[in-house]
Amino acid sequence: MPIPRELSTNANQQLRFALLGPLQAWRGEAGLELGPVREQALLVALLLRPGRTVGRRQLLDGVWGAEPPGTGDRVIPVYVHRLRRRLDAPGEGSATSVIDTVRGGYRFAPGTAGVDEARWAELAAEGRAARDSGDLDAAADTWSRALALFRGEPLAGIPGPFAEGERLRLAEQRLLLTQDKVDCRLRSGRHAEAVGELFSLTTAHPHNEALAALLMRALHAANRQADALDVYAAVRRRLVDEQGVEPGAELRRVHEAVLRGDDAFLLGDTADNAVRQGRAARHPTRRPTGPRRPEPAAATRRIRHELPVETGSFTGRDREQRLLVAPADARAVTVRAVDGMAGVGKTALVVRAARALRDRYPDGCLFIELHGHRADRETAGRQRVLRRLLRAVGAGEGEDSEDLDELAASWRAATASLRLLLVLDDASRAEQVRPLIPAGAGSMVIVTSRRRLTGLDADRRVSLSPLGIDEAARLLTRIVGGGEDADGPGEDRSVRELAVLCGRLPLALRIVGARVQDRPSWAVAALVARLTDDEYRLDELAVEDRSVEAAFRISYDRLPAAEQRAFRALGLSPTVRLDRLTLAALLGCPPPDAARTLESLADASLVQRVTADRYRLHDLVAVYARRVAAASPDEVATAQEGVFRLYVVAARCAGDWGTTSFPTGPRGIGPFADWEEAAAWLDEAGGELVDVIGRAAAAGRLDEACWIAEGLVDYLTRQGRFHECRTALETLLPLVGRAGDRRMDSALRTGLGILFGLQGRYGQARTWFTEALDISRRAGDRHEQAKAAAGLGTFANLEGRIAESMAHFAEVLGLVGELTHDDWLMGSVMTRAGDVHHQLGEYDKAYDRYLEAIALAERAGSPRLLGKTLLRLGGLQLDLGRPAEAVGTLGKAEDLARRLGDVPLHSAVLGRLSAAEADLGNLRAAAELRRRSQELLDEQTGSAPEIAIRHRLIRPGAVAEDLAGARDFFERGTALPATDANRARISRVLDDLGRRRRAHRRPDADEP
């Protein structure tokens, strides 16, 4: 089958997929074989989530549903491997595969292939944009191209719950888009093209009332009223006979409109006038049988246009304006709402949109300021506004009443025959707006508010954010430069910096622009310097009656007292992103209460929603929040203590050491259910964790700063975030002498020792551990002494200095009796002691130590330590000649490693499992496990444990007749750090194996 035309437009995408029918794929012009249907189903589950990580469990559930294979999710990597071989270009490795292996699962690399479903979505969106802009012909033609991509039933023959759900979704979207296309053709007068298609669709979907309504409208436009009425009768008969229900309200309205001959309702105001003129010529005496709509009162009153003057420096907001000026339903009153923080430019946007819309509303354009957030004006009462509106449309009846209901009824009666555009600026709540909505069909109301008016029925909501940096710099340049000539792509760098300091807020940008205009001698760079200091920034953003701080104060003053306190507390957050746990810690309240407060503040536009459960303060709002918080020093101290201790608890809980490994500072796991929940919460903070530590230190909370840094060592190094970990620890070292917890002198140095040791920089690690050991010995701190000595012993063992390692572990074992509170440290020591016994051939002692360590790791709730110890126990069982036991032990370790996302541990476990399967004679399984282990490791950056694993994997590969593969795997590892010491030794191993193999194969190998 040829490649669909819409998929062949991008020459750069050689790989193409067609999902809108039977699944097909091409590379260039050649079709690809995609394998069994279950593998195709897995491919579909990745293709329809481009760029998103899909976990193994999600894939298993989506492909097999309630009947998974006996191997469980272990089949997923096998299927992924087969798909890569089929889809990847010849000669490409896993690093450039179209299917990425990422932490937590797999993802289809975005941008590597053309997919007809993605092209369908693009064309559908393009058509919607054309329709919203009023170009109905372009919308219908674009949607026709989109619908042409379907080649039958989507995903035909693909099994599994995910494919079935997507099949239903795509079929439903196809039908809805077809209806939208036909509706556009009707509204643009192309009814003849629609009739035939609609007859086909209604035959295929005999109970679809929306399609029947469209067909009736098309037949009415073609002067086939009898046929239109027959369609209604047939649909009604089917619904009553087969389902026992009457037609819905919309289909009944269409039926009544056909009976009345109501062209305005059936064809809409945008329909081609020729359609109506032609129909009128054929029926010159036709009159509607229903009540006639009253004529507008335009002849007896003066049409008012009250929009404010539009400023010439308006910039950006193209997308938002398109939403506001999109065509509206001519049969109803349309309400559109704009919300956003103070100074974001809501009024400027709606005035510009209203001017673009004004010609569509022949009965006037009214503008009312409701003063919902004005310090110098009382909020406009609804009775007063209604009297003002009645006068504007020339209706005196009922104007003198004080009763709100009576005034609202008079307003509805006065506007029933009018088509108005009404702008209500700065509403404080939805109930302030509802009585003001006019009654005339086709009228439009645009409302602005700082609050999100969720109680208002609106067909479109626009939430304004600050301008993009390019738009902000352009606006500022226009103001300062005095016109369009200054508008260009080369804005001065200082102008962009000034725009950033203004938070890209239009009000702030206009204020600083006015200040520069007023004092031309000021350089923009000088004003940048004045705004850089947060303490004075809001003072600089004021000119005459305009003030950013005053705008924020009004929003703040209107909050209830509890929300005011929460707002002040949010200004003290050490991270930009906020969530309910952060606010709960700042306030000392339950997380559900904090979540409700955040929602209320978001509705008031004082915080911005980032995701469903994450928020942030705009930069200038944060400055204001800190300013008002500073007036309550007791609150500041309490809030800071609460939030920094939350980070202490999270860091300790997320690490593998367990909360019992920290003898000082907060206890327990706080609001977190387990280490996974704490780690996920820290993940959301991203790169801000170092900033949290810096802010804690700057606030004088040095103990908390040190505890956070200490707790984060395991969390950060496990993810390879060595630079962040080092920055945090080295930032605090010069300050640690001022901390109240003297344990930190040693603990921070031990953290640096762990950091450098994991990077394979053993000399630096030894220096830091030695310093920590000396400090803890002098202080008599047995706990820190044991940690430092254990670190020295661990990395001495990795370097092969067994005697030195044994001496350090002997010191640790002498302290074990004093460490009963620290299960993780005792378990770690027992694991390392087991390693030493194992290396010395003392297998019984090693076995006992490993079993002790496993019990301690389980008691401490340390999955990583447990996984590492199970790995070592499995290796010992292999050395004891018990491979069947090793498979069971290593299987548990693999489950833990996968759950942890610990790639080095997972790779090492797979390598050991490979050896166990080989010992059992399962050579094919052994080869597959070894391949998976190497593949995992190739996708990671280098650290000392990863290098060690890589070296351990070389010999099994070479012995298994894959000498070339083993050498290639090793050579790829030589680019990793700290390999020089092992390079020559491993190379000699490979050369020796090669010589032995060649000698074994020569017939005269034993001859002189």
Side-chain angles (χ1 to χ4, degrees):
M1 180 176 180
I3 302 171
R5 180 179 62 82
E6 289 286 358
L7 285 184
S8 59
T9 56
N10 188 347
N12 294 323
Q13 292 183 334
Q14 295 300 311
L15 187 62
R16 301 173 180 85
F17 295 93
L19 308 180
L20 303 179
L23 177 62
Q24 292 181 289
W26 301 266
R27 179 168 290 285
E29 299 296 325
L32 298 179
E33 171 59 44
L34 296 177
V37 290
R38 291 289 183 189
E39 291 180 18
Q40 294 182 33
L42 189 143
L43 173 61
V44 165
L46 294 171
L47 280 172
L48 290 175
R49 299 180 177 106
R52 289 165 50 196
T53 299
V54 188
R56 286 192 186 183
R57 175 52 59 181
Q58 285 179 278
L59 291 171
L60 195 69
D61 293 342
V63 175
W64 281 273
E67 299 180 358
T71 55
D73 65 1
R74 281 179 289 181
V75 73
I76 301 298
V78 178
Y79 278 20
V80 169
H81 173 68
R82 293 174 183 169
L83 287 170
R84 284 171 172 160
R85 286 193 305 180
R86 294 188 180 97
L87 300 178
D88 292 344
E92 290 186 356
S94 60
T96 56
S97 175
V98 296
I99 301 179
D100 293 335
T101 300
V102 293
R103 181 179 180 185
Y106 302 93
R107 67 168 189 159
F108 199 90
T112 56
V115 182
D116 61 353
E117 190 271 344
R119 181 58 180 154
W120 145 269
E122 291 174 3
L123 289 170
E126 184 181 329
R128 284 192 293 271
R131 179 195 60 190
D132 291 347
S133 66
D135 193 344
L136 302 181
D137 286 335
D141 293 344
T142 302
W143 285 334
S144 294
R145 291 165 54 203
L147 292 164
L149 291 174
F150 281 86
R151 298 168 291 110
E153 181 185 45
L155 305 174
I158 302 298
F162 178 81
E164 180 60 25
E166 290 298 296
R167 192 158 35 243
L168 293 172
R169 176 182 69 84
L170 291 168
E172 181 66 17
Q173 288 186 350
R174 178 186 188 183
L175 183 59
L176 291 174
L177 198 67
T178 302
Q179 292 174 204
D180 287 343
K181 179 194 73 172
V182 173
D183 180 66
C184 280
R185 283 182 171 164
L186 286 176
R187 290 165 58 194
S188 61
R190 296 162 64 182
H191 56 273
E193 301 175 35
V195 171
E197 185 174 8
L198 282 168
F199 268 123
S200 175
L201 286 168
T202 52
T203 301
H205 304 277
H207 298 97
N208 190 308
E209 295 185 41
L211 288 175
L214 285 170
L215 178 55
M216 291 176 68
R217 289 170 54 197
L219 291 168
H220 172 82
N223 196 30
R224 296 168 60 181
Q225 283 70 33
D227 290 337
L229 295 173
D230 285 345
V231 169
Y232 178 81
V235 172
R236 182 180 182 278
R237 186 166 51 252
R238 277 193 294 270
L239 291 172
V240 171
D241 293 347
E242 299 174 21
Q243 299 180 2
V245 296
E246 289 285 344
E250 179 62 21
L251 188 58
R252 292 200 307 271
R253 280 196 293 268
V254 171
H255 177 240
E256 292 167 3
V258 172
L259 290 171
R260 294 197 312 268
D262 191 343
D263 289 351
F265 179 87
L266 293 167
L267 304 180
D269 288 343
T270 56
D272 193 322
N273 289 332
V275 175
R276 297 178 186 171
Q277 292 169 3
R279 294 181 68 253
R282 290 191 293 270
H283 298 276
T285 62
R286 181 183 181 92
R287 290 290 184 272
T289 58
R292 190 176 58 156
R293 179 177 172 179
E295 291 297 324
T300 60
R301 69 178 185 87
R302 183 169 56 90
I303 306 301
R304 295 175 66 96
H305 293 289
E306 301 177 345
L307 290 175
V309 174
E310 184 180 3
T311 59
S313 56
F314 186 91
T315 301
R317 307 295 194 198
D318 294 337
R319 183 190 68 83
E320 292 86 351
Q321 184 169 346
R322 281 197 300 272
L323 289 172
L324 292 178
V325 302
D329 188 347
R331 298 161 293 180
V333 177
T334 299
V335 178
R336 291 177 179 168
V338 179
D339 62 82
M341 62 184 292
V344 80
K346 301 180 292 296
T347 303
L349 171 65
V350 299
V351 167
R352 191 174 187 86
R355 288 188 173 276
L357 290 167
R358 185 172 60 185
D359 292 342
R360 304 184 198 174
Y361 297 90
D363 296 313
C365 180
L366 306 180
F367 184 91
I368 302 291
E369 292 189 43
L370 298 177
H371 305 301
H373 299 87
R374 283 281 299 271
D376 58 337
R377 297 289 295 271
E378 180 184 352
T379 300
R382 290 173 290 180
Q383 289 92 331
R384 186 177 59 176
V385 172
L386 282 167
R387 285 193 288 271
R388 151 95 161 77
L389 287 170
L390 286 167
R391 289 194 299 271
V393 298
E397 182 181 352
E399 182 185 345
D400 296 331
S401 174
E402 291 295 330
D403 183 77
L404 176 63
D405 293 338
E406 186 176 341
L407 284 167
S410 297
W411 169 242
R412 290 193 298 271
T415 56
S417 62
L418 303 181
R419 187 170 181 179
L420 290 169
L421 175 60
L422 174 62
V423 178
L424 300 173
D425 189 41
D426 195 21
S428 60
R429 58 197 185 280
E431 54 266 32
Q432 185 184 19
V433 173
R434 289 194 205 102
L436 312 181
I437 296 175
S443 294
M444 179 182 286
V445 180
I446 305 179
V447 186
T448 74
S449 178
R450 295 189 190 182
R451 302 191 64 87
R452 187 171 176 82
L453 303 178
T454 53
L456 190 66
D457 294 328
D459 80 322
R460 278 178 172 79
R461 297 184 187 276
V462 177
S463 293
L464 282 191
S465 300
L467 295 168
I469 183 58
D470 292 333
E471 293 175 336
R474 197 152 51 237
L475 174 59
L476 190 55
T477 301
R478 285 186 179 184
I479 297 170
V480 174
E484 295 289 338
D485 294 340
D487 181 16
E491 295 97 353
D492 185 84
R493 181 180 301 175
S494 57
V495 170
R496 296 176 71 85
E497 188 175 354
L498 187 57
V500 170
L501 289 170
C502 289
R504 298 171 286 114
L505 195 66
L507 174 61
L509 293 167
R510 294 183 187 281
I511 289 172
V512 297
R515 297 192 67 180
V516 173
Q517 285 178 334
D518 190 46
R519 296 175 175 81
S521 59
W522 281 13
V524 173
L527 190 52
V528 167
R530 297 167 70 94
L531 290 174
T532 301
D533 190 339
D534 276 358
E535 185 176 353
Y536 301 107
R537 191 187 310 185
L538 292 178
D539 298 330
E540 296 292 336
L541 295 177
V543 59
E544 294 186 359
D545 63 337
R546 284 182 168 185
S547 166
V548 171
E549 181 175 7
F552 293 161
R553 187 185 305 116
I554 296 167
S555 295
Y556 171 76
D557 288 343
R558 291 184 179 274
L559 295 175
E563 291 181 16
Q564 287 184 346
R565 181 177 173 234
F567 176 74
R568 295 193 296 270
L570 289 174
L572 304 172
S573 170
T575 56
V576 173
R577 286 199 170 193
L578 312 161
D579 72 333
R580 64 183 193 135
L581 295 186
T582 302
L583 183 57
L586 287 163
L587 295 177
C589 71
D593 292 349
R596 286 189 290 271
T597 301
L598 279 168
E599 278 298 300
S600 294
L601 291 172
D603 286 342
S605 296
L606 281 169
V607 301
Q608 300 169 328
R609 290 183 185 86
V610 179
T611 63
D613 57 358
R614 290 273 163 170
Y615 304 81
R616 62 163 290 161
L617 290 174
H618 180 269
D619 293 348
L620 294 180
V621 175
V623 173
Y624 178 70
R626 288 192 290 272
R627 174 171 286 193
V628 293
S632 306
D634 292 340
E635 281 186 13
V636 171
T638 301
Q640 288 179 335
E641 179 180 8
V643 76
F644 290 130
R645 289 195 169 228
L646 173 66
Y647 276 92
V648 174
V649 169
R652 292 177 172 183
C653 187
D656 195 60
W657 299 352
T659 55
T660 60
S661 292
F662 304 93
T664 55
R667 301 285 183 178
I669 62 173
F672 305 105
D674 52 29
W675 68 269
E676 287 178 296
E677 193 172 294
W681 187 77
L682 290 174
D683 290 345
E684 288 291 334
E688 290 191 83
L689 291 174
V690 176
D691 295 334
V692 172
I693 294 168
R695 291 193 175 102
R701 316 289 309 192
L702 272 175
D703 283 351
E704 283 90 347
C706 292
W707 293 334
I708 296 169
E710 178 194 27
L712 286 174
V713 168
D714 182 67
Y715 168 81
L716 291 174
T717 56
R718 187 170 69 240
Q719 299 182 38
R721 294 161 66 178
F722 299 117
H723 177 72
E724 290 175 65
C725 185
R726 180 177 178 179
T727 299
L729 293 168
E730 290 183 345
T731 298
L732 292 173
L733 268 182
L735 308 174
V736 74
R738 303 206 304 267
D741 186 358
R742 302 312 310 153
R743 184 177 66 84
M744 291 296 102
D745 282 348
S746 174
L748 296 185
R749 289 171 168 81
T750 296
L752 283 165
I754 294 169
L755 167 72
F756 286 113
L758 289 174
Q759 292 180 283
R761 299 159 73 173
Y762 298 128
Q764 289 168 283
R766 192 159 48 248
T767 298
W768 287 111
F769 280 131
T770 302
E771 285 188 26
L773 185 61
D774 291 343
I775 291 170
S776 58
R777 282 172 176 166
R778 290 196 302 271
D781 188 332
R782 303 298 194 188
H783 182 265
E784 291 304 319
Q785 180 183 342
K787 283 173 60 179
L792 283 167
T794 297
F795 291 107
N797 183 277
L798 285 174
E799 290 183 273
R801 294 183 281 110
I802 305 300
E804 181 183 337
S805 174
M806 290 176 64
H808 288 303
F809 279 117
E811 178 178 357
V812 177
L813 289 170
L815 300 169
V816 163
E818 303 178 45
L819 304 176
T820 54
H821 68 283
D822 192 340
D823 293 331
W824 179 87
L825 181 55
M826 290 179 65
S828 181
V829 168
M830 290 303 165
T831 298
R832 297 305 180 185
D835 291 345
V836 173
H837 289 307
H838 192 172
Q839 288 169 307
L840 295 174
E842 299 169 354
Y843 291 162
D844 289 343
K845 291 182 180 179
Y847 207 95
D848 291 341
R849 296 291 85 77
Y850 288 148
L851 290 180
E852 289 180 55
I854 287 170
L856 288 164
E858 288 176 337
R859 194 163 74 192
S862 300
R864 196 157 171 247
L865 175 60
L866 179 58
K868 289 180 176 179
T869 311
L870 287 169
L871 168 64
R872 287 166 166 79
L873 179 60
L876 177 59
Q877 289 167 334
L878 283 176
D879 290 345
L880 290 170
R882 287 142 55 180
E885 289 182 34
V887 167
T889 301
L890 294 168
K892 296 176 184 176
E894 185 194 3
D895 289 341
L896 281 169
R898 186 187 304 113
R899 177 182 164 205
L900 288 162
D902 190 324
V903 170
L905 176 61
H906 196 183
S907 178
V909 171
L910 290 175
R912 292 290 192 186
L913 271 172
S914 172
E917 294 287 0
D919 287 352
L920 291 170
N922 302 324
L923 299 183
R924 180 173 295 180
E928 174 61 20
L929 286 164
R930 187 172 63 254
R931 184 199 63 76
R932 287 172 54 199
S933 177
Q934 293 176 352
E935 186 178 73
L936 275 173
L937 211 58
D938 277 344
E939 296 174 355
Q940 292 300 109
T941 56
S943 67
E946 292 164 23
I947 296 165
I949 297 164
R950 184 179 290 274
H951 294 165
R952 283 202 298 271
L953 287 169
I954 293 172
R955 184 181 290 273
V959 172
E961 303 296 325
D962 187 15
L963 185 67
R967 179 178 291 281
D968 176 65
F969 180 67
F970 168 68
E971 291 298 335
R972 290 200 302 275
T974 60
L976 303 176
T979 56
D980 291 339
N982 297 290
R983 190 190 308 270
R985 177 171 62 83
I986 300 301
S987 219
R988 282 196 300 273
V989 169
L990 290 170
D991 291 341
D992 180 56
L993 284 167
R995 280 194 300 272
R996 289 184 186 183
R997 184 170 297 148
R998 288 193 298 272
H1000 178 70
R1001 289 174 178 167
R1002 282 167 40 202
D1004 57 345
D1006 296 326
E1007 296 179 8

